Amino acid sequence: MEQLQSYLEANKERFLNELIELLRIPSVSADEKFAPDVNRAAEFVKQQLINAGVDKAEICPTKGYPVVYGEKIIDTKLPTVLVYGHYDVQPADPYELWNSPPFEPVVKDGNIYARGACDDKGQMYMHVKAFEMMMKNNTLPCNVKFMIEGEEEVGSVNLGSFAEANKEKLKSDVVLISDTSMIANDVPSITIGLRGLTYLEVEVTGPNRDLHSGVYGGAVANPINILCDMISSLHDKDRRVTIPGFYDDVQEVSKTEREQMARAPFDLNDYKKHLDINQELGEKGYSTLERVSIRPTLDVNGIWGGYVGQGAKTVLPSKAFAKISMRLVPNQKSDKIMKLFEDHFKKIAPPYVKVKVMPHHGGEAAVTPTDSVAYKAAAKAMEKTFGKTPIPMRTGGSIPIVTMFEQVLGVKSVLFGFGLDSDAIHSPNEKYGLFNYYKGIETLPYFYQYFSEMSAK
Ligand code: BES
Ligand code: MN
Ligand code: MN
């Protein structure tokens, strides 16, 4: 392992420059206009896997963006690690809020700033470099398969059928994913729970055309006003979601686990300061950490309609729209929640508007085990490189493939993330710490070593 450390030292600059090259590719999966770039990112990843030493790498087409697959099989009797990551990124909008252009990476104060720096290019690429280190130093102790997808940020809609059709190819003992965060650089943690998601769009229609707001205003329902009423009725005074049945399947977390969660270091004042808010807000009866991990939520992600151009236009719009997401917890089913929302939203629509509900995507929540060989190996690897035992913790984001892989491939995941919540993923000025990038590359080979040793017993 010492040789790996000196290999890392000797190649640090190249490792960073390669990541910068990847970050320059605007692989935004949500926006068609970037389609050639998304495909270019797939090519880049494939080539880098080849350079790092896989036996074979291929671009596997799907109905959407391709999956990059690569493998190094040293002995079929040895365990196999399936590395999952994504090469697509979120849209960079609003561009004007970035201090430097999102696809022109800048290294400043120990961080690399770019869209995708942390989510997930920086974290995914650590795996490619850790693999290279093990290959070039002849220390790879088991088989590795890479499955790097290009549609994570748009719901991984084609990955289920890809996994179904490639069960043999993806056969493995554990899925290893770096696409989550830790508590702090000196407080390592491992994610053991993710929330599920139901995402949809609504359309509320009033009159058949935009009207003069003076001539008609006051006599005809304004769909934006109505949509706002409808949305505000979706929470009660305790900030609980009012959709009937919404909480029916929610798995309550035991008192013991809640007490354990409360021990994780968390400072509400720092949290508020970081976000520049005077007061937090959430479901009555739960702490902030609980609200963002073990409780389901409903949020409007975007709302529009009418005139939003420069100056003023006196208009009573014909239509109003909103994008709405619900974060789900274990045992809630994404499809069922979609149906409950749709039925409820149609039911509360007053007679003077028409409403449409259009489902987007969804995914189930996940809880990963802490008593598995893979979890123990990950914890031991972090102990080795951080000098501290990582804290297991649940988080609020979603990675729908975790449950999907469990169902389709029968394999559990380890969420071995090295990012920080302050990395501003999905926001302007996304960053990834160089400390985190190199620490990840340093830590991953220990995971392979311990996982192989502990599996052999
Ligand atoms: N990497 C994130 C998920 C994440 C971030 C989990 C931080 C835990 C901590 C992932 O790329 C993501 O953004 N997922 C989406 C869901 C997807 C279906 C669009 C999300 O959580 O909004
Ligand atoms: Mn991600
Ligand atoms: Mn993301």
Side-chain angles (χ1 to χ4, degrees):
M1 284 289 166
E2 261 150 52
Q3 45 176 346
L4 291 197
Q5 199 56 41
S6 38
Y7 187 89
L8 175 57
E9 285 304 325
N11 290 281
K12 267 188 160 168
E13 210 172 295
R14 175 172 58 83
F15 286 3
L16 181 58
N17 288 333
E18 288 172 10
L19 174 59
I20 288 175
E21 215 180 309
L22 175 59
L23 290 170
R24 276 188 207 287
I25 308 173
S27 49
V28 179
S29 51
D31 187 343
E32 267 170 38
K33 129 171 140 254
F34 294 102
D37 301 300
V38 184
N39 286 307
R40 205 149 53 83
E43 284 295 340
F44 180 91
V45 173
K46 176 191 160 189
Q47 191 53 50
Q48 292 305 332
L49 284 172
I50 292 170
N51 296 353
V54 292
D55 295 327
K56 69 166 187 196
E58 53 193 10
I59 303 255
C60 308
T62 71
K63 282 210 188 88
Y65 289 117
V67 172
V68 183
Y69 176 81
E71 65 176 32
K72 177 75 199 175
I73 307 296
I74 55 176
D75 183 343
T76 50
K77 288 193 285 297
L78 289 172
T80 301
V81 175
L82 175 63
V83 174
Y84 164 86
H86 60 97
Y87 62 81
D88 65 320
V89 299
Q90 283 276 320
D93 314 68
Y95 278 67
E96 65 276 15
L97 296 184
W98 285 76
N99 297 328
S100 53
F103 299 107
E104 292 170 32
V106 167
V107 178
K108 215 177 101 187
D109 306 328
N111 293 304
I112 177 156
Y113 289 86
R115 168 58 83 232
C118 172
D119 184 13
D120 179 41
K121 286 173 171 171
Q123 296 214 61
M124 174 270 285
Y125 205 66
M126 297 180 320
H127 286 264
V128 182
K129 295 298 96 179
F131 171 70
E132 175 193 316
M133 296 214 297
M134 293 186 284
M135 285 304 295
K136 303 286 155 124
N137 293 281
N138 289 313
T139 64
L140 182 70
C142 62
N143 307 311
V144 193
K145 294 176 175 177
F146 289 90
M147 179 197 200
I148 313 298
E149 72 150 318
E151 296 187 302
E152 197 278 342
E153 299 292 8
V154 286
S156 303
V157 279
N158 296 296
L159 211 63
S161 51
F162 179 82
E164 284 284 358
N166 292 282
K167 282 186 189 166
E168 196 49 41
K169 184 183 218 151
L170 303 173
K171 204 165 171 239
S172 50
D173 298 284
V174 64
V175 183
L176 187 60
I177 306 174
S178 297
D179 195 20
T180 49
S181 48
M182 316 181 288
I183 296 176
N185 283 351
D186 57 353
V187 190
S189 59
I190 296 179
T191 301
I192 54 161
L194 293 163
R195 287 195 284 192
L197 183 71
T198 297
Y199 201 109
L200 54 89
E201 206 167 307
V202 297
E203 181 188 298
V204 176
T205 306
N208 61 1
R209 60 192 164 86
D210 285 6
L211 304 174
H212 188 290
S213 68
V215 175
Y216 290 94
V220 177
N222 179 326
I224 300 182
N225 295 4
I226 302 300
L227 176 58
C228 290
D229 290 347
M230 291 172 76
I231 286 171
S232 67
S233 80
L234 295 175
H235 285 96
D236 67 14
K237 63 174 192 343
D238 293 332
R239 299 311 293 176
R240 278 176 69 89
V241 175
T242 56
I243 300 169
F246 186 76
Y247 293 96
D248 280 3
D249 299 328
V250 168
Q251 207 174 72
E252 296 297 332
V253 173
S254 72
K255 209 169 149 239
T256 341
E257 203 185 328
R258 286 180 72 181
E259 277 165 10
Q260 249 161 26
M261 284 181 69
R263 269 186 250 132
F266 176 75
D267 187 323
L268 188 56
N269 282 324
D270 282 353
Y271 186 81
K272 290 192 288 194
K273 212 162 122 195
H274 183 72
L275 300 175
D276 196 13
I277 53 173
N278 295 326
Q279 204 184 323
E280 78 286 8
L281 176 68
E283 187 184 352
K284 195 176 166 185
Y286 295 91
S287 71
T288 295
L289 275 187
E290 289 173 341
R291 288 167 177 170
V292 297
S293 60
I294 59 167
R295 297 303 295 167
T297 61
L298 183 151
D299 275 292
V300 178
N301 297 258
I303 182 163
W304 71 102
Y307 182 70
V308 291
Q310 220 180 50
K313 179 189 179 195
T314 48
V315 60
L316 193 164
S318 163
K319 283 180 190 292
F321 304 85
K323 291 184 194 275
I324 295 176
S325 68
M326 286 161 279
R327 294 283 168 174
L328 312 178
V329 297
N331 208 38
Q332 283 184 299
K333 292 279 167 297
S334 173
D335 286 348
K336 182 175 169 189
I337 295 294
M338 183 74 81
K339 178 92 178 50
L340 290 179
F341 179 94
E342 191 171 352
D343 291 349
H344 179 68
F345 204 73
K346 287 184 172 155
K347 204 172 133 229
I348 61 171
Y352 24 85
V353 293
K354 299 181 196 80
V355 307
K356 265 197 218 161
V357 177
M358 295 153 284
H360 271 274
H361 52 259
E364 312 304 345
V367 177
T368 59
T370 49
D371 57 357
S372 65
V373 167
Y375 180 89
K376 288 177 190 156
K380 193 170 166 193
M382 270 190 154
E383 259 163 47
K384 176 81 186 166
T385 56
F386 287 80
K388 279 183 192 169
T389 307
I391 298 171
M393 76 176 260
R394 294 208 206 184
T395 163
S398 307
I399 309 181
I401 59 97
V402 172
T403 299
M404 192 270 283
F405 281 168
E406 206 174 311
Q407 283 163 359
V408 177
L409 305 173
V411 189
K412 302 232 193 242
S413 301
V414 170
L415 296 161
F416 211 14
F418 292 84
L420 296 176
D421 285 345
S422 53
D423 283 338
I425 65 170
H426 296 205
S427 302
N429 304 309
E430 176 177 352
K431 67 173 164 62
Y432 193 40
L434 297 183
F435 168 85
N436 306 69
Y437 182 55
Y438 293 128
K439 202 57 153 179
I441 298 173
E442 180 193 343
T443 308
L444 290 170
Y446 286 106
F447 169 83
Y448 283 84
Q449 186 197 332
Y450 299 145
F451 179 65
S452 302
E453 286 170 6
M454 289 155 97
S455 298
K457 276 176 205 150

